[in-house]
Amino acid sequence: MFTAGAESLLHQAREIQDEELQKFCSRISKLLQKNDLGPDVVDSLQRLFLIVSATKYNRRLEKTCVDLLQTTLCLPACPEQLQVLCTAILREMSPSNSLTLSCDHTQNTRQLSLVASVLLAQGDRREEVRTMGQHVLKALESRQPEGPSVRHLLPILSKVVSLAPGTLREDQTNLLSKRLVDWLRYASIQQGLPHTGGFFSTPRARQPGPITEVDGAVATDFFTVLSTGQHFTEDQWLNVQAFSMLRAWLLHSSPEDPSAPDADDKSEMEGSTLSVLSATSTASRLLPPRERLREVAFEYCQRLIEQSNRRALRKGDSDLQKACLVEAILVLDVLCRQDPSFLYRTLSCLKALHGRLSGGLGCVRALLPLAQFFLDHGEAAAVDSEAIYQHLFTRVPSELFHSPMLAFEFIQFCRDNLHLFSGNLSVFKLNFPNLFKFLAWNSPPLTSEFVLLLPALVDAGTALEMLHALLDLPCLTAALDLQLRSLPAPSERPLWDTSLRTPSCLEAFRDPRFQGLFQHLLRTKASGTMERLTPLHRLLQPMASCARVAQCAEAVPTLLQVFFSAVTQVADGVLTNHLALLLLERSDALYQVPLYEAHVHRVLSSQFLALCKLKPSLVVELAKDLLEFVGSVSGIHSRASMLTSVVWAVGEYLSVTCDRRCTVEQINKFFEALEALLFEVAQSRPSATLPKCPPQVITVLMTTLTKLASRSQDLIPRVSLLLSKMRTLAQSPATGSVHSEEDSEAICTRATELLNLLKMPSVAQFVLTPSVEVCEPRYHRDTNTALPLALRTVSRLVEKEASLLPG
């Protein structure tokens, strides 16, 4: 977050109009034309950079000003601070057709790196990337030991290689590989000299001391990025930068294609000859540049792993140890994929490293690349990697779900390795409750990731438990919050909403009576059982307004849609019935987060209809449960959408055409239950405990009763009488206090339409219960048999009959 002063400056920069900006540019142009490179121009360029970077859209600058910025950047005597400011402004303007920069006339490597950064921001419009790469390589080729530093060029070269892989020739690739070997392996192990000059400088400066390890011991091996000291030499800085680009360079310079020049038919000798050659540095120097770089990279990573085991004296060094350990494992993975001879030399080291890291969670982020390594190479090395990712899935999410970076990397790891889990996907699927902890705590940034991951987690055996877990996801967020609040070490807790006071919730979390429910909610693996968590919903109700819980609740409807799209692909008839029953059961058993219930009901109701469409016989098979569901009017306002879908499904699929087991007795039972429900909701008056019934429920009830009557024609008189009463009730003045004018008119119109249709029972059955042939597209395209034609004919016959009746 910005401070108030920074926010004010940004606001002022965004509010500057184009006319005022052009005047400011004119002032800067005058200063640059006079070659006045003093404090005024520095201050003006800083303000200009703030203006052009404060908005998302590009600011238009005067061409004269742009040209002068480019000229100033390329001046030999220009101060470095001004060069950096000019570069930053030109990068913010890119891509732009007004830029004419070129690498042809750069004076030194620092200036070349700044110009190259602007050209990279321009994009490869005129193949500048390849040209730039050649300039950088030329500077590397011509560099003498005492020449200008190339430290600024390595990041540019790494970017060029990634954007244009075919830029470098074979001899240039070999040259850079040799240089990287020198920088990685033969950097000085003595500290650099401090900068001399100034009032306190003395000619009797102390000689530089040796490089030390992170634990303070004197380094006895070659220099690495984890070596420490007060001052560093140029080759030590190059060592650090060489390691930062090592993995990208290995992937570029040594493609994994078996037909590559350095991957000839030598696989039989790699495991023996090369390992023997690499045993001595003299023999390894005889290797070609690429293979020599691999050997040095292997030695470097081995040393980093050894250094990571030292106890760092400073926290910054400890964090650097963890980052370097991750990178070292990734580099070893690349080496083993490119050259199998490294695999057997790496396995023992990484097995020991995993044993050391799995004992605690101090460097848990390194467990992900370790697991990746064993997933990639476990089969080739005859290593059972199941125990490794079993530990990863079981312990890490349950204890470190609150780390946002780890959560993202963990889910990315799962997504990237779905094809490798195919042999033992059950371990992956059974741990979905643990993975959901990442989602519950980090739902806004991880929702899109889980949308892609969730279909792979869905399994017929755990689908019901997973659906419960998705519906209880906001409740899980609240429980995780309480779990963190109850930790004994407050320094390790993440930040949360301190304004929320939940002493009663914490007491309930520690109460032995509710330990079983909390343990089920916080379980690490699928248990195969479905607990009703309604008591926890009530206990955790004070936390429903917490921002993190609300954010999690917003993600659930989307995830439910994804879940049902996946589960319908694997569900059989029995599972479909269980899913439908679960939707009915959970429609009135949700955690009461604001707006959550309405959004979830909308999804559940649509998915209930989708299940019925997938299996039309579901209504007949679940007749008893559906009768119980529609037999109660309690909570009708909160679950109106679900009730509407159930009633509609009864009218649509309770028919012999959908299931031959459907009987007249079943139709009559549903008719009586729905008739009683319609009378109850239509005649009830809204109150504090019983809000008004939505008109959609009334119209769907009338339609479904009419459909049932068309299939059991003995019920037609009762329906006709009921519809007449509903029409009269909708037109009465007393209804105006319950429903709006539009709602009353909709109820009246629907009742009239259904009454007219029932006057000709055979036509009513044709319209309300169409056969399979009628549902075919032909009935909607052929003008002679189209369903609208039949409806128009019925309307004319009904109108004619009505006109013959005495007034």
Side-chain angles (χ1 to χ4, degrees):
M1 297 295 292
F2 294 111
T3 62
E7 287 284 358
S8 176
L9 288 174
L10 285 173
H11 182 72
Q12 293 176 26
R14 291 173 184 143
E15 293 298 319
I16 290 179
Q17 301 300 315
D18 288 341
E19 183 179 354
E20 189 177 356
L21 178 59
Q22 299 310 317
K23 291 180 180 178
F24 186 54
C25 288
S26 299
R27 178 189 165 194
I28 293 176
S29 299
K30 292 178 182 178
L31 290 173
L32 294 176
Q33 285 170 343
K34 295 177 182 178
N35 287 331
D36 181 7
L37 303 182
D40 287 345
V41 73
V42 172
D43 181 67
S44 298
L45 290 180
Q46 287 175 339
R47 291 174 181 273
L48 182 60
F49 173 68
L50 178 62
I51 293 169
V52 297
S53 62
T55 56
K56 294 180 180 179
Y57 59 89
N58 287 341
R59 290 281 201 170
R60 292 184 58 187
L61 303 182
E62 283 185 347
K63 187 178 185 305
T64 305
C65 182
V66 174
D67 292 340
L68 287 169
L69 287 172
Q70 296 178 84
T71 304
T72 304
L73 171 59
C74 297
L75 286 176
C78 180
E80 184 176 337
Q81 184 183 12
L82 282 179
Q83 286 183 328
V84 172
L85 282 171
C86 292
T87 303
I89 294 168
L90 294 174
R91 275 205 305 260
E92 285 294 331
M93 289 180 54
S94 300
S96 172
N97 293 325
S98 60
L99 296 184
T100 57
L101 277 177
S102 172
C103 294
D104 296 335
H105 306 294
T106 51
Q107 302 296 320
N108 52 57
T109 56
R110 176 62 176 170
Q111 194 178 71
L112 176 58
S113 68
L114 294 174
V115 172
S117 68
V118 177
L119 294 177
L120 286 174
Q122 280 284 93
D124 199 9
R125 294 192 170 191
R126 295 181 297 274
E127 295 190 351
E128 292 100 336
V129 174
R130 293 178 181 274
T131 306
M132 186 195 318
Q134 293 303 317
H135 276 86
V136 173
L137 260 296
K138 186 178 179 181
L140 285 173
E141 291 171 353
S142 61
R143 177 182 180 266
Q144 301 300 321
E146 66 279 1
S149 171
V150 296
R151 198 196 326 163
H152 309 296
L153 299 181
L154 289 184
I156 298 295
L157 184 60
S158 181
K159 189 68 174 178
V160 168
V161 167
S162 64
L163 292 177
T167 299
L168 308 185
R169 302 189 305 271
E170 181 74 14
D171 60 326
Q172 292 174 329
T173 301
N174 290 336
L175 171 67
L176 187 56
S177 294
K178 291 178 182 178
R179 289 288 173 87
L180 289 172
V181 167
D182 292 338
W183 294 330
L184 288 171
R185 188 63 180 83
Y186 302 110
S188 172
I189 58 172
Q190 293 293 319
Q191 297 189 39
L193 291 170
H195 295 291
T196 58
F199 181 79
F200 295 101
S201 62
T202 171
R204 295 186 176 182
R206 247 189 297 179
Q207 291 298 317
I211 288 294
T212 58
E213 303 288 0
V214 291
D215 59 357
V218 175
T220 57
D221 210 333
F222 60 90
F223 181 90
T224 70
V225 66
L226 283 178
S227 300
T228 61
Q230 293 294 323
H231 306 281
F232 293 106
T233 61
E234 186 64 27
D235 60 345
Q236 289 168 352
W237 283 116
L238 286 168
N239 178 286
V240 173
Q241 287 199 320
F243 177 67
S244 69
M245 65 174 290
L246 177 60
R247 181 158 52 102
W249 179 253
L250 288 172
L251 291 171
H252 165 263
S253 62
S254 303
E256 297 178 41
D257 184 4
S259 62
D262 62 331
D264 295 332
D265 290 336
K266 59 184 181 189
S267 57
E268 294 183 2
M269 62 175 288
E270 283 178 350
S272 56
T273 307
L274 288 184
S275 60
V276 173
L277 287 175
S278 62
T280 63
S281 60
T282 304
S284 64
R285 291 188 184 188
L286 301 177
L287 294 172
R290 293 178 182 175
E291 296 179 9
R292 171 67 177 145
L293 177 60
R294 289 174 183 167
E295 288 290 337
V296 169
F298 178 77
E299 294 175 8
Y300 197 99
C301 292
Q302 293 281 87
R303 171 145 165 74
L304 285 180
I305 292 174
E306 182 272 327
Q307 287 178 300
S308 70
N309 197 26
R310 295 175 178 267
R311 186 177 182 85
L313 300 178
R314 294 184 294 270
K315 185 180 184 303
D317 289 339
S318 177
D319 295 337
L320 183 61
Q321 278 181 304
K322 298 172 185 178
C324 291
L325 186 58
V326 170
E327 185 65 17
I329 297 169
L330 292 174
V331 171
L332 289 173
D333 188 21
V334 172
L335 291 174
C336 293
R337 279 191 276 123
Q338 292 179 348
D339 188 344
S341 69
F342 288 106
L343 180 58
Y344 303 101
R345 288 185 279 169
T346 305
L347 276 175
S348 59
C349 169
L350 292 190
K351 284 181 180 177
L353 177 63
H354 181 266
R356 173 162 62 90
L357 296 182
S358 60
L361 297 174
C363 191
V364 68
R365 288 181 63 187
L367 289 175
L368 290 174
L370 264 179
Q372 183 71 62
F373 182 91
F374 287 110
L375 280 172
D376 289 339
H377 307 288
E379 185 176 352
V383 175
D384 183 13
S385 57
E386 181 177 353
I388 293 172
Y389 55 81
Q390 185 75 266
H391 167 268
L392 190 69
F393 279 100
T394 303
R395 184 177 179 186
V396 173
S398 61
E399 297 187 32
L400 294 172
F401 57 86
H402 51 79
S403 171
M405 183 63 72
L406 177 64
F408 179 77
E409 291 180 352
F410 201 104
I411 300 306
Q412 281 289 104
F413 168 80
C414 294
R415 283 188 54 200
D416 294 342
N417 292 285
L418 285 176
H419 63 289
L420 295 175
F421 286 123
S422 58
N424 192 5
L425 202 58
S426 60
V427 175
F428 176 56
K429 291 181 175 180
L430 288 174
N431 283 278
F432 78 84
N434 239 7
L435 295 179
F436 278 9
K437 292 176 183 177
F438 283 132
L439 175 62
W441 194 259
N442 307 278
S443 54
L446 285 187
T447 300
S448 59
E449 298 297 322
F450 265 90
V451 165
L452 300 173
L453 182 64
L454 194 59
L457 292 172
V458 175
D459 182 72
T462 59
L464 296 175
E465 188 175 353
M466 186 178 294
L467 181 54
H468 274 292
L470 285 172
L471 293 172
D472 289 325
L473 206 60
C475 193
L476 174 61
T477 305
L480 291 172
D481 190 296
L482 293 178
Q483 182 182 357
L484 287 175
R485 290 172 188 264
S486 62
L487 286 177
S491 60
E492 298 179 2
R493 301 180 196 168
L495 295 176
W496 53 64
D497 185 4
T498 55
S499 64
L500 191 65
R501 300 286 184 257
T502 57
S504 60
C505 295
L506 277 172
E507 291 174 6
F509 184 77
R510 300 185 181 106
D511 194 328
R513 293 175 298 172
F514 305 110
Q515 283 298 304
L517 292 177
F518 276 111
Q519 287 174 4
H520 176 77
L521 185 59
L522 297 170
R523 66 195 182 280
T524 59
K525 290 185 178 181
S527 61
T529 60
M530 278 71 77
E531 295 279 350
R532 289 187 64 88
L533 300 179
T534 307
L536 290 189
H537 295 169
R538 292 192 294 268
L539 289 172
L540 299 177
Q541 192 57 44
M543 301 187 68
S545 59
C546 180
R548 193 180 294 275
V549 175
Q551 287 179 328
C552 178
E554 291 176 1
V556 173
T558 301
L559 296 168
L560 287 174
Q561 297 278 11
V562 176
F563 168 81
F564 279 104
S565 298
V567 78
T568 51
Q569 306 297 320
V570 298
D572 56 9
V574 176
L575 179 57
T576 303
N577 284 9
H578 285 311
L579 287 170
L581 285 175
L582 198 153
L583 296 184
L584 299 178
E585 173 191 347
R586 291 303 305 269
S587 63
D588 61 345
L590 296 173
Y591 189 37
Q592 298 296 312
V593 181
L595 301 179
Y596 176 63
E597 196 173 32
H599 293 162
V600 170
H601 278 168
R602 193 175 300 118
V603 177
L604 297 187
S605 59
S606 64
Q607 294 304 326
F608 181 83
L609 290 177
L611 292 176
C612 292
K613 185 177 182 180
L614 183 67
K615 185 186 178 185
S617 61
L618 185 147
V619 174
V620 173
E621 294 175 1
L622 302 182
K624 181 180 178 181
D625 301 281
L626 295 176
L627 280 170
E628 291 179 2
F629 183 81
V630 301
S632 173
V633 73
S634 61
I636 191 171
H637 185 269
S638 61
R639 58 191 182 105
S641 58
M642 192 66 193
L643 179 62
T644 302
S645 295
V646 170
V647 173
W648 179 265
V650 169
E652 194 73 10
Y653 301 109
L654 188 64
S655 169
V656 178
T657 57
C658 296
D659 192 331
R660 294 188 177 278
R661 294 171 293 179
C662 178
T663 62
V664 175
E665 183 182 1
Q666 279 184 330
I667 293 176
N668 290 338
K669 284 184 178 180
F670 271 100
F671 183 90
E672 291 173 359
L674 296 178
E675 182 184 36
L677 179 61
L678 178 59
F679 270 121
E680 193 166 355
V681 300
Q683 296 181 358
S684 61
R685 292 290 179 265
S687 63
T689 58
L690 188 64
K692 72 174 184 178
C693 176
Q696 293 83 359
V697 176
I698 297 176
T699 54
V700 170
L701 279 168
M702 292 190 300
T703 304
T704 296
L705 288 169
T706 306
K707 289 179 179 180
L708 296 180
S710 69
R711 297 163 198 165
S712 179
Q713 297 191 2
D714 293 341
L715 299 173
I716 289 180
R718 289 173 62 179
V719 176
S720 298
L721 180 61
L722 178 63
L723 293 174
S724 299
K725 289 182 177 180
M726 290 303 304
R727 183 170 60 179
T728 304
L729 186 64
Q731 293 172 339
S732 67
T735 310
S737 61
V738 180
H739 299 290
S740 65
E741 184 177 349
E742 288 186 5
D743 294 343
S744 299
E745 184 177 352
I747 295 172
C748 182
T749 302
R750 177 61 60 89
T752 303
E753 291 172 348
L754 296 174
L755 275 171
N756 289 338
L757 201 55
L758 284 177
K759 291 180 180 178
M760 302 186 70
S762 57
V763 177
Q765 188 173 11
F766 170 76
V767 173
L768 297 174
T769 312
S771 61
V772 178
E773 294 79 10
V774 174
C775 296
E776 291 180 355
R778 180 175 64 87
Y779 269 85
H780 303 274
R781 288 197 296 260
D782 192 340
T783 56
N784 296 320
T785 59
L787 189 58
L789 175 64
L791 290 174
R792 285 196 298 271
T793 304
V794 172
S795 299
R796 286 197 296 269
L797 291 174
V798 170
E799 289 171 1
K800 182 178 180 181
E801 180 181 352
S803 64
L804 295 176
L805 295 175

